[in-house]
Amino acid sequence: QVQLQESGPGLVRPSETLALTCAVSGYSISRGHYWGWIRQSPGKGLEWIGSIYQSGITYYNPSFKSRVTISVDTSTNQFSLKLSSVTAADTAVYYCTRQSTSPGTYWGQGLLVTVSS
Amino acid sequence: DIVMTQSPLSLPVTPGEPASISCRSSQSLLHSSGYHYLDWYVQKPGQSPQLLIYLGSDRASGVPDRFSGSGSGTDFTLKISRVEADDVGVYYCMQALQTPRITFGQGTRLEIK
């Protein structure tokens, strides 16, 4: 069974870059599926940030414009999120996910990231 | 983007009684494969969302048969035949038709009376 685990700093200063990593176990990223990031904040519910396919092709939510970068490292079976120029509005729980139409999306435990000076 | 709308947003239920949550999409979720790309997730207190139903009506592994999904086109329903105390949480529908560009409903908070 696939398992996902987010890691990274829980506190990021305004205007800096939020950087998170997702370690995947029980399934090789190279086998396929989309690997994505979703966040949850009180004001906006569940919000898709972006995803990457095992080939490296990326898909981003236009709401994040040019602030987001997602990358994959198949040698370590991990993928990463970078979100630049953060503000307090980026405070949220960030989830890494394996997306699939069948059998659906699997989620990591989530990581609370607070943007504050 | 496909907009997902759930109702009700709050659902108090007596244990043993049935419960039903509605989800409507701004466009049909019928894929050329013949399946509807609509998932249901539950987020229990302090946990991440977990898959209940995918492709509109297929139960995920380990999900009790008290849970069922139905619907077609733009209208979908999640039914719990007999609510238990452990079912407390927030239920979300999600369109997977535009995977990976997924979108979610606002969530329905199920509470025990």
Side-chain angles (χ1 to χ4, degrees):
Chain A
Q1 171 124 351
V2 62
Q3 293 187 318
L4 306 102
Q5 180 67 58
E6 306 87 352
S7 63
L11 179 65
V12 180
R13 304 210 181 279
S15 79
E16 295 188 345
T17 295
L18 178 161
L20 302 178
T21 296
C22 182
V24 180
S25 59
Y27 192 91
S28 172
I29 287 179
S30 299
R31 290 181 58 187
H33 292 295
Y34 295 96
W35 303 89
W37 292 92
I38 294 168
R39 74 180 187 182
Q40 185 173 35
S41 54
K44 299 195 75 173
L46 290 166
E47 184 175 30
W48 172 71
I49 300 170
S51 304
I52 189 165
Y53 197 62
Q54 42 84 231
S55 61
I57 298 174
T58 53
Y59 306 81
Y60 298 134
N61 185 331
S63 298
F64 295 92
K65 299 180 182 178
S66 58
R67 296 200 297 138
V68 62
T69 302
I70 295 175
S71 58
V72 65
D73 186 343
T74 54
S75 66
T76 59
N77 218 37
Q78 297 180 333
F79 63 105
S80 300
L81 168 71
K82 290 186 178 180
L83 185 65
S84 63
S85 304
V86 297
T87 68
D90 294 310
T91 294
V93 176
Y94 286 77
Y95 296 99
C96 61
T97 65
R98 188 192 79 174
Q99 295 176 249
S100 173
T101 54
S102 177
T105 294
Y106 286 90
W107 306 63
Q109 294 179 330
L111 182 66
L112 173 62
V113 179
T114 301
V115 178
S116 175
S117 56
Chain B
D1 287 1
I2 298 176
V3 177
M4 306 298 291
T5 304
Q6 290 181 231
S7 63
L9 299 185
S10 178
L11 183 58
V13 185
T14 300
E17 292 297 305
S20 179
I21 301 171
S22 174
C23 176
R24 178 166 291 178
S25 56
S26 60
Q27 66 185 72
S28 175
L29 299 184
L30 178 62
H31 187 263
S32 57
S33 64
Y35 292 100
H36 288 86
Y37 283 9
L38 185 283
D39 296 348
W40 289 97
Y41 297 85
V42 60
Q43 186 172 30
K44 296 184 178 181
Q47 298 183 17
S48 58
Q50 52 192 249
L51 178 67
L52 286 173
I53 302 286
Y54 63 99
L55 296 179
S57 60
D58 288 355
R59 274 189 301 277
S61 176
V63 174
D65 59 9
R66 301 185 291 109
F67 292 88
S68 63
S70 63
S72 63
T74 62
D75 290 292
F76 300 89
T77 303
L78 175 71
K79 292 183 179 178
I80 309 173
S81 59
R82 299 173 308 278
V83 170
E84 298 181 358
D86 187 54
D87 297 334
V88 165
V90 181
Y91 290 76
Y92 294 94
C93 61
M94 185 201 88
Q95 66 82 14
L97 184 67
Q98 295 182 337
T99 294
R101 301 176 182 86
I102 54 178
T103 51
F104 298 87
Q106 317 96 300
T108 295
R109 185 172 301 275
L110 186 149
E111 61 180 47
I112 299 297
K113 282 184 181 176

